[in-house]
Amino acid sequence: LAAESIVNNILNKYVGLSASYWSPQPPTDTSSLFSTDVLLADGGSIDNQGLMALLRRKVDKIVVFITTNVPLKPRSEYNPFLKLPADNDIDSSFSSFFGFVDLIPDPGYDFYHNHVFSRFVFPFVVDKMQKAQAKGTGIVVKSKLKTIRNKWWGIPAGHTVEIAWVYLGRVREWEKRLPKKLYKQLVPSENEEKPNVLVNTGPFKNFPHIPTDELNYSPEKANLLASLAGWVIQQNKEVFIEMLS
């Protein structure tokens, strides 16, 4: 507890994570008020895609965007049928929906309560993603899943849901249509055919897996991300029409 208090004090002093907050009481309640330190964070710290709330409401069709800074490894480097997912194979928040969490937790996230789908179906969903990745028009795949009981989130077992997963990544067919000068800035000069290899220098370093905490996107970078996303949606428009109609 002493160590936790020291960490909290440092965060409050230098990052500004302290906030005055209280739970309102009825006017007739004369019990004594008391205060305690709690950690305030945005919803991404426990469910980065907002999926849990929709499952609790038993929504039948859901589109989930996984805008991660972790590229999906292709089948040549990661076989989901033979290997458990590591945090550099695929986004860890996605894996947590199927009961796979990091052995060493990230202090900024808590995905340990997010197991809502069977571990058995995980490699089949990832297999679809890797095939879409290899096609080069964006990682957009559908899967029909059934929930398992999650007491922590209040999600019952047996709800059937159809999900369209949209996983951020390099898109080779989009890249091939870029002007030559821009292509050289966005595509790595070595191993360019490997979708998990990113450009590591220049104004578009790590494109498109740019951390959101960078907070200083240039207009060029923001417009390129918008162009990529829009092109992927157009190439997979049948999926979105079906899911959102």
Side-chain angles (χ1 to χ4, degrees):
L1 289 177
E4 180 182 354
S5 177
I6 292 172
V7 171
N8 285 337
N9 288 337
I10 293 173
L11 288 174
N12 290 336
K13 181 177 180 180
Y14 295 104
V15 186
L17 296 182
S18 178
S20 297
Y21 187 80
W22 66 95
S23 176
Q25 291 181 302
T28 56
D29 193 336
T30 58
S31 60
S32 299
L33 295 174
F34 66 93
S35 64
T36 184
D37 290 335
V38 297
L39 179 64
L40 300 179
D42 67 35
S45 294
I46 54 176
D47 176 16
N48 212 22
Q49 286 76 38
L51 177 61
M52 298 302 163
L54 298 177
L55 292 178
R56 286 189 65 177
R57 291 167 54 190
K58 295 186 177 180
V59 176
D60 295 325
K61 292 185 177 183
I62 302 173
V63 179
V64 177
F65 287 84
I66 307 167
T67 52
T68 175
N69 63 347
V70 180
L72 172 64
K73 282 188 177 178
R75 176 55 61 86
S76 60
E77 297 183 34
Y78 166 52
N79 188 332
F81 294 98
L82 301 178
K83 178 180 177 292
L84 295 178
D87 58 5
N88 62 343
D89 292 328
I90 192 170
D91 180 73
S92 59
S93 65
F94 168 77
S95 302
S96 72
F97 299 143
F98 301 86
F100 299 105
V101 292
D102 297 335
L103 294 177
I104 302 176
D106 186 319
Y109 299 93
D110 182 6
F111 300 140
Y112 284 81
H113 303 287
N114 292 358
H115 189 186
V116 285
F117 302 125
S118 168
R119 289 186 175 94
F120 175 76
V121 301
F122 174 79
F124 295 95
V125 178
V126 178
D127 176 60
K128 284 185 177 181
M129 287 181 166
Q130 290 174 325
K131 288 176 179 176
Q133 181 186 57
K135 185 180 176 182
T137 55
I139 304 174
V140 181
V141 301
K142 291 191 304 178
S143 56
K144 185 167 286 189
L145 304 167
K146 185 174 289 187
T147 60
I148 63 173
R149 183 171 180 258
N150 186 307
K151 184 178 180 181
W152 199 86
W153 280 102
I155 296 171
H159 171 57
T160 299
V161 58
E162 188 171 21
I163 298 181
W165 305 101
V166 186
Y167 195 106
L168 180 66
R170 286 181 54 201
V171 179
R172 288 297 290 147
E173 293 303 317
W174 177 80
E175 291 175 349
K176 292 175 182 177
R177 289 163 171 77
L178 295 173
K180 186 176 294 185
K181 182 179 179 180
L182 187 56
Y183 183 94
K184 290 181 178 180
Q185 290 182 297
L186 287 179
V187 180
S189 57
E190 297 182 3
N191 298 312
E192 65 179 60
E193 294 298 328
K194 289 188 175 183
N196 59 322
V197 176
L198 308 178
V199 63
N200 57 12
T201 59
F204 305 112
K205 182 180 178 181
N206 294 325
F207 187 91
H209 298 278
I210 304 168
T212 53
D213 58 10
E214 186 175 306
L215 297 180
N216 61 343
Y217 286 14
S218 66
E220 294 81 5
K221 191 180 295 183
N223 285 333
L224 278 172
L225 286 168
S227 172
L228 173 64
W231 192 88
V232 168
I233 289 174
Q234 286 292 331
Q235 296 304 305
N236 297 274
K237 62 183 179 181
E238 292 81 7
V239 173
F240 294 95
I241 292 172
E242 179 185 346
M243 294 297 294
L244 302 175
S245 62

